[in-house]
Amino acid sequence: MLSANVEVFILDSFFANRTMSGSKLSHQDRKDLEKFTRFLIYKSLQIIVQSRLGEKIKTKSKPHNSGADWFNLAIKDIPDVHAETKKALSGQQSLLSQNVCVEISLKTSEGDTMILETWYIGLNSDICDTSARVSYTVYNRMGIALKSLFSVSRVTPAYKLSRRQGQCSEDYVICYKIYLGDPQFYMLGEGYQQAKVGNVPTPVGTISINVAYRTKLLITPQKTCKEVLFDVKDDHFKKDNSPKRPTTPKPCSLGYRR
């Protein structure tokens, strides 16, 4: 089980907000950094959601990679997750001007839910690496961060729950929801843990991938979420921190059936 403290970053605009170091980037470097960051976000959300499908995965090594194999990761994108990510990011003037969050929840056959974890990708524009080459150093750092995310996503308690989907007398399904804004830690109950998955220093700031997860999983095959001891809020999100474009959680596994 992970145990680490993570600073919750207050994000500034990533590309629109020009810092002293960011202004030194050439037009091509800035364009490449924006493209790499976009694919980092898309691949991160794919890794997180696919880790909650409830199945083990095996990927064969490829002797020759293609242009579609971003960051040398042989991960086939799920179209629905790609569409949800695109929908969440639409309308944002600059990438990572807000946290990009993925909320993982458990939904019982009776329709009750419990939030299990929140993954969030953000930017600290105060910590820059002005000497990093965008087309080589930053790109490789992003690949390393994604490999760390792939491993950590299969260590938290929600992974074990996802592996048991459909095996209990009271069936449940693991769902995901993508939104922009502040992570809603208060929905994870008392004693939740936070961990830093990876950092990517860039000339305009440091991109961070983090997770906060519930530790008190008081649910058994004989109990529904109505009997689980956790605080129920009238409003899932606080008024001042409500995410932009809130959506309904969707099952991670499209093949799930009652």
Side-chain angles (χ1 to χ4, degrees):
M1 185 167 293
L2 300 174
S3 178
N5 293 323
V6 173
E7 177 184 0
V8 179
F9 295 116
I10 301 177
L11 303 180
D12 293 326
S13 176
F14 189 18
F15 296 105
N17 192 20
R18 295 174 177 269
T19 61
M20 182 66 69
S21 59
S23 62
K24 296 179 181 179
L25 285 176
S26 67
H27 174 73
Q28 186 60 46
D29 282 343
R30 183 173 293 276
K31 185 177 179 180
D32 288 342
L33 182 56
E34 182 174 358
K35 178 173 64 175
F36 296 163
T37 303
R38 182 175 298 277
F39 276 98
L40 172 69
I41 295 172
Y42 274 81
K43 283 299 180 182
S44 295
L45 303 194
Q46 288 285 343
I47 289 174
I48 294 168
V49 175
Q50 290 187 33
S51 69
R52 301 297 176 255
L53 294 178
E55 58 187 26
K56 292 184 177 180
I57 62 172
K58 295 181 180 180
T59 55
K60 296 181 179 180
S61 297
K62 299 174 63 175
H64 304 288
N65 66 339
S66 64
D69 296 328
W70 277 88
F71 307 109
N72 292 324
L73 293 173
I75 298 176
K76 188 176 181 180
D77 291 350
I78 298 176
D80 278 6
V81 178
H82 182 88
E84 287 296 312
T85 304
K86 185 177 181 179
K87 185 190 302 182
L89 296 180
S90 65
Q92 190 174 201
Q93 294 182 351
S94 60
L95 287 175
L96 290 182
S97 57
Q98 301 178 76
N99 282 302
V100 179
C101 304
V102 186
E103 182 182 271
I104 302 296
S105 59
L106 180 150
K107 184 175 181 179
T108 69
S109 58
E110 295 185 356
D112 300 305
T113 61
M114 178 171 66
I115 309 303
L116 298 177
E117 57 190 10
T118 298
W119 302 79
Y120 52 106
I121 306 172
L123 176 82
N124 184 350
S125 59
D126 295 328
I127 303 177
C128 306
D129 185 355
T130 57
S131 63
R133 294 170 53 191
V134 173
S135 60
Y136 179 77
T137 306
V138 173
Y139 182 84
N140 287 338
R141 287 172 177 173
M142 288 180 175
I144 294 173
L146 288 172
K147 292 177 177 68
S148 298
L149 176 61
F150 188 91
S151 299
V152 174
S153 64
R154 287 159 174 78
V155 176
T156 59
Y159 175 70
K160 292 184 178 180
L161 286 176
S162 68
R163 297 278 292 135
R164 299 170 186 164
Q165 293 178 81
Q167 299 178 7
C168 304
S169 57
E170 293 286 347
D171 285 355
Y172 63 86
V173 63
I174 303 298
C175 301
Y176 74 95
K177 181 167 66 175
I178 301 171
Y179 64 89
L180 302 179
D182 296 330
Q184 306 297 306
F185 299 126
Y186 72 98
M187 290 300 298
L188 298 172
E190 296 181 359
Y192 71 88
Q193 295 291 323
Q194 299 183 64
K196 182 179 295 183
V197 179
N199 282 337
V200 181
T202 78
V204 298
T206 298
I207 302 171
S208 62
I209 305 175
N210 310 278
V211 61
Y213 59 95
R214 178 183 291 272
T215 59
K216 296 181 179 180
L217 303 174
L218 305 178
I219 185 170
T220 65
Q222 290 76 33
K223 291 183 178 182
T224 67
C225 281
K226 291 182 178 179
E227 297 168 300
V228 177
L229 299 178
F230 65 95
D231 294 335
V232 178
K233 302 292 184 181
D234 292 335
D235 183 5
H236 184 107
F237 296 98
K238 294 180 179 179
K239 183 176 181 180
D240 296 335
N241 297 324
S242 297
K244 306 300 181 183
R245 296 176 180 269
T247 58
T248 302
K250 295 190 174 183
C252 295
S253 176
L254 298 179
Y256 174 81
R257 294 291 183 271
R258 278 287 312 281

